[in-house]
């Protein structure tokens, strides 16, 4: 009996030791995979916090099991193609308060379906590719950016899940229509379909061009007619100025004889 108790005690101690060892390895593995300047923790998944880390670009060594990723308050200026493609568990992505100006067409490829929250507020984004947010299911925050309101932005917002709420928070810094500058995008879109403006502009330009050609043709015809009239008048005056033909004496005698 004593031997059994001793064996059980030693087995329990060994199990606890092995469990601690495995836990230590897992923690060390997670810590070793954490990008430089970031803090990683486990709370309902792997949370990676790179806030205020003076980052100039998005780290490329992000752990694949990342669920929450905070990249806010840095100096990031662009979001390259497929930068998050391996983060298949990513649910929250915070890129607010950076200097982001460019978002590539396939920037969110790989996470568009899983992402629940995307924060791009307080950046320098003026426009994005029309397919940049394709299939994005996340609730996006894109306010406080110097947006240029045009057809592309209209297409982008229509493709997003939270279209109405997102569009209502977008203020047009500039616009294809000057009167929309400084107004919420939603109001501008309600006033005019921004995707029809280029067509209308082309139609107006065509009408102006056709009117110009028509005016030129009419002017040429009028000029041609007036020039011909002037030439005809001069020719008539020339004919009138010619001396009349005088009769010869023998012609006059013949006439007298006949009479």
């Amino acid at each position: 009996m004593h031997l059994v108790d001793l064996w059980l005690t030693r087995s329990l101690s060994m199990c606890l030791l092995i469990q601690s060892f495995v836990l230590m390895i897992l923690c060390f593995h997670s810590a070793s995979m954490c990008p430089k300047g970031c803090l990683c923790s486990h709370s309902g998944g792997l949370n990676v916090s790179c806030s205020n880390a003076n980052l100039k670009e998005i780290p490329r060594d992000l752990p694949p099991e990342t669920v929450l990723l905070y990249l806010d308050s840095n100096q990031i200026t662009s979001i390259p193609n497929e930068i998050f493609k391996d983060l298949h568990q990513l649910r929250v992505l915070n890129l607010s308060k950076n200097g982001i100006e460019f978002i590539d067409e396939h920037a969110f490829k790989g996470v568009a379906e899983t992402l629940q929250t995307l924060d791009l507020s307080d950046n320098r984004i003026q426009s994005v590719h029309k397919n940049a947010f394709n299939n994005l299911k996340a609730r996006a925050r894109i306010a406080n950016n110097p947006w240029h309101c045009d057809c592309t932005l209209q297409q982008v917002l229509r493709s997003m899940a939270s279209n109405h709420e997102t569009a209502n928070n977008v203020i047009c810094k500039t616009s294809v229509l000057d009167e929309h500058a400084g107004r919420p995008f939603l109001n501008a879109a309600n006033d005019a379909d921004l995707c029809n403006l280029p067509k209308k502009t082309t139609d107006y330009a065509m009408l102006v061009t056709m009117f110009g050609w028509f005016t030129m043709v009419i002017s040429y015809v009028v000029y041609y007619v007036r020039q011909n009239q002037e030439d005809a008048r001069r020719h008539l005056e020339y004919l009138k100025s010619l001396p009349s033909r005088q009769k010869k004496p023998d012609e006059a005698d013949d006439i007298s004889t006949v009479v």
Side-chain angles (χ1 to χ4, degrees), residues 79-88 90 93 103-115 131-136:
I79 307 178
N81 280 327
E82 303 184 0
I83 188 69
F84 305 113
K85 67 176 181 178
D86 297 323
L87 308 184
H88 302 300
L90 190 64
L93 176 58
I103 300 176
D104 287 337
E105 179 180 358
H106 303 295
F108 301 106
K109 185 175 181 180
V111 297
E113 297 288 341
T114 61
L115 206 59
N131 298 326
F133 297 137
N134 267 10
N135 303 318
L136 191 69

Side-chain angles (χ1 to χ4, degrees), residues 109-172:
K109 185 175 181 180
V111 297
E113 297 288 341
T114 61
L115 206 59
Q116 296 175 4
T117 301
L118 172 64
D119 196 342
L120 291 167
S121 60
D122 297 289
N123 278 287
R124 301 176 185 171
I125 307 168
Q126 297 183 22
S127 63
V128 294
H129 191 279
K130 66 178 181 179
N131 298 326
F133 297 137
N134 267 10
N135 303 318
L136 191 69
K137 306 299 182 185
R139 185 176 296 277
R141 301 188 185 106
I142 58 175
N144 298 327
N145 282 287
W147 288 105
H148 176 68
C149 294
D150 58 2
C151 176
T152 301
L153 182 59
Q154 180 172 300
Q155 291 175 327
V156 166
L157 293 177
R158 283 178 177 173
S159 70
M160 297 174 71
S162 54
N163 170 40
H164 183 86
E165 181 181 348
T166 304
N168 199 38
N169 293 325
V170 172
I171 305 296
C172 302

Side-chain angles (χ1 to χ4, degrees), residues 54-251:
N54 293 319
L55 298 176
K56 291 181 170 55
E57 60 182 22
I58 297 171
R60 294 184 177 273
D61 55 347
L62 293 165
E65 66 271 22
T66 302
V67 176
L68 279 69
L69 177 57
Y70 296 93
L71 292 164
D72 55 296
S73 304
N74 283 290
Q75 302 167 33
I76 299 169
T77 58
S78 64
I79 307 178
N81 280 327
E82 303 184 0
I83 188 69
F84 305 113
K85 67 176 181 178
D86 297 323
L87 308 184
H88 302 300
Q89 301 177 46
L90 190 64
R91 295 200 308 267
V92 175
L93 176 58
N94 190 339
L95 283 158
S96 65
K97 299 178 182 177
N98 277 281
I100 297 171
E101 297 181 27
F102 307 104
I103 300 176
D104 287 337
E105 179 180 358
H106 303 295
F108 301 106
K109 185 175 181 180
V111 297
E113 297 288 341
T114 61
L115 206 59
Q116 296 175 4
T117 301
L118 172 64
D119 196 342
L120 291 167
S121 60
D122 297 289
N123 278 287
R124 301 176 185 171
I125 307 168
Q126 297 183 22
S127 63
V128 294
H129 191 279
K130 66 178 181 179
N131 298 326
F133 297 137
N134 267 10
N135 303 318
L136 191 69
K137 306 299 182 185
R139 185 176 296 277
R141 301 188 185 106
I142 58 175
N144 298 327
N145 282 287
W147 288 105
H148 176 68
C149 294
D150 58 2
C151 176
T152 301
L153 182 59
Q154 180 172 300
Q155 291 175 327
V156 166
L157 293 177
R158 283 178 177 173
S159 70
M160 297 174 71
S162 54
N163 170 40
H164 183 86
E165 181 181 348
T166 304
N168 199 38
N169 293 325
V170 172
I171 305 296
C172 302
K173 177 72 173 179
T174 57
S175 175
V176 289
L177 297 175
D178 293 338
E179 61 267 25
H180 290 165
R183 296 175 58 193
F185 174 81
L186 198 59
N187 292 350
N190 287 338
D191 288 348
D193 185 353
L194 301 181
C195 289
N196 280 334
L197 295 179
K199 183 178 181 300
K200 290 179 179 178
T201 303
T202 303
D203 291 344
Y204 292 148
M206 188 176 295
L207 285 173
V208 170
T209 304
M210 289 176 64
F211 180 77
W213 279 106
F214 181 75
T215 303
M216 288 177 61
V217 170
I218 294 298
S219 300
Y220 177 78
V221 170
V222 170
Y223 171 79
Y224 180 78
V225 170
R226 288 185 177 177
Q227 189 66 30
N228 282 350
Q229 288 178 342
E230 184 67 19
D231 290 343
R233 185 183 63 81
R234 290 176 181 174
H235 184 66
L236 185 59
E237 289 180 353
Y238 170 74
L239 291 177
K240 289 180 178 180
S241 66
L242 292 175
S244 57
R245 184 182 177 188
Q246 296 182 356
K247 297 177 182 179
K248 295 181 179 180
D250 53 346
E251 289 178 354

